[in-house]
Amino acid sequence: MKKFLAILLSVLIIACSFSACSAKPNNKLTEKNITVTINTIFDALKVFDSATVKRYVESSTLDKILTYASKKDQFRKLGVAIFENVEYTIKNIDVDNKTVTLSVKNKDLSEVASEFTEGLLKEYASITGIVQLLKDITNDEWLDNNLSILTKGISAAIMQNKEVDVDLSFEQKNDRLVFNFTLEAEDAVSGGALTAIKNLFR
């Protein structure tokens, strides 16, 4: 009987542990749920899961790239390259003020992303050029040739030396928490890549 109870208790512990690990985000204002939501966001960023990131993040630049990524796999691969190395630590959760402070570090992507976007903007400098660029970024052959250059540059970049602190506010929706990524947050989480890339979508 004792042996049976011990086995049953072990099964229950394992089941509870699995349940905790696989907990899904909801709209509860608890540190546990806030942590689960943050983890879900960064897991989704690392594989550039458009639907999940859009569900839990409000971000002007990310939203544009995610929209393209949902239609063109080249943009999804670019997103993976940008975020797959991001590291983060939750430093503080303020439930009352609905803010979270993160410490984040990524590859230093500001230079490689800036060089890429500046090159394109120079090539498509005129008004008609910008119109053509907007057409080209929907063309698979153009995307294969051009985004692969940026992706290779990102792959060769090195990690930043220091972590950056980022404050995120969040809103409580009916079924989830939505985190607001400011321009500063976008820049920090992406290693500076989004600051440069957003110039293509102005």
Side-chain angles (χ1 to χ4, degrees):
M1 184 67 178
K2 288 183 179 180
K3 187 175 181 180
F4 172 77
L5 289 174
I7 293 172
L8 180 61
L9 183 60
S10 298
V11 171
L12 289 173
I13 291 173
I14 293 171
C16 289
S17 298
F18 178 79
S19 176
C21 292
S22 60
K24 291 184 178 180
N26 52 57
N27 74 331
K28 293 180 180 178
L29 291 176
T30 64
E31 289 195 8
K32 179 181 177 182
N33 182 52
I34 292 168
T35 299
V36 168
T37 306
I38 288 289
N39 291 339
T40 298
I41 290 170
F42 277 88
D43 286 345
L45 281 172
K46 289 182 181 220
V47 296
F48 221 54
D49 177 350
S50 299
T52 301
V53 176
K54 279 191 170 189
R55 178 171 173 78
Y56 298 108
V57 173
E58 192 72 40
S59 166
S60 57
T61 308
L62 260 178
D63 188 62
K64 291 174 183 175
I65 300 175
L66 286 163
T67 298
Y68 279 101
S70 65
K71 300 173 183 176
K72 295 291 184 180
D73 195 54
Q74 295 92 335
F75 277 100
R76 186 194 64 80
K77 289 178 180 177
L78 174 61
V80 172
I82 292 172
F83 294 106
E84 65 181 346
N85 295 290
V86 68
E87 301 172 0
Y88 69 98
T89 303
I90 299 175
K91 294 184 69 176
N92 183 62
I93 296 175
D94 188 335
V95 176
D96 294 332
N97 291 311
K98 297 180 182 177
T99 59
V100 175
T101 300
L102 303 178
S103 181
V104 299
K105 185 168 73 169
N106 199 344
K107 284 188 172 185
D108 188 350
L109 305 179
S110 55
E111 184 175 349
V112 63
S114 293
E115 288 179 354
F116 176 79
T117 54
E118 285 171 9
L120 285 182
L121 292 174
K122 181 183 264 187
E123 182 180 346
Y124 295 88
S126 64
I127 295 177
T128 54
I130 295 298
V131 173
Q132 184 60 46
L133 175 59
L134 293 174
K135 291 180 181 178
D136 285 344
I137 60 177
T138 63
N139 180 283
D140 285 325
E141 184 177 354
W142 188 94
L143 290 172
D144 288 337
N145 292 333
N146 287 273
L147 291 192
S148 63
I149 296 172
L150 177 55
T151 302
K152 287 177 182 176
I154 290 172
S155 179
I158 61 174
M159 290 294 289
Q160 296 169 326
N161 292 323
K162 296 181 180 180
E163 297 176 337
V164 179
D165 285 350
V166 176
D167 292 320
L168 300 177
S169 63
F170 61 88
E171 302 174 57
Q172 186 180 29
K173 302 291 187 179
N174 290 334
D175 59 349
R176 66 193 187 281
L177 303 178
V178 176
F179 286 78
N180 299 305
F181 276 43
T182 62
L183 295 178
E184 291 77 12
E186 289 178 349
D187 189 60
V189 173
S190 69
L194 292 185
T195 299
I197 293 173
K198 72 181 180 182
N199 292 324
L200 294 177
F201 300 98
R202 284 182 175 179

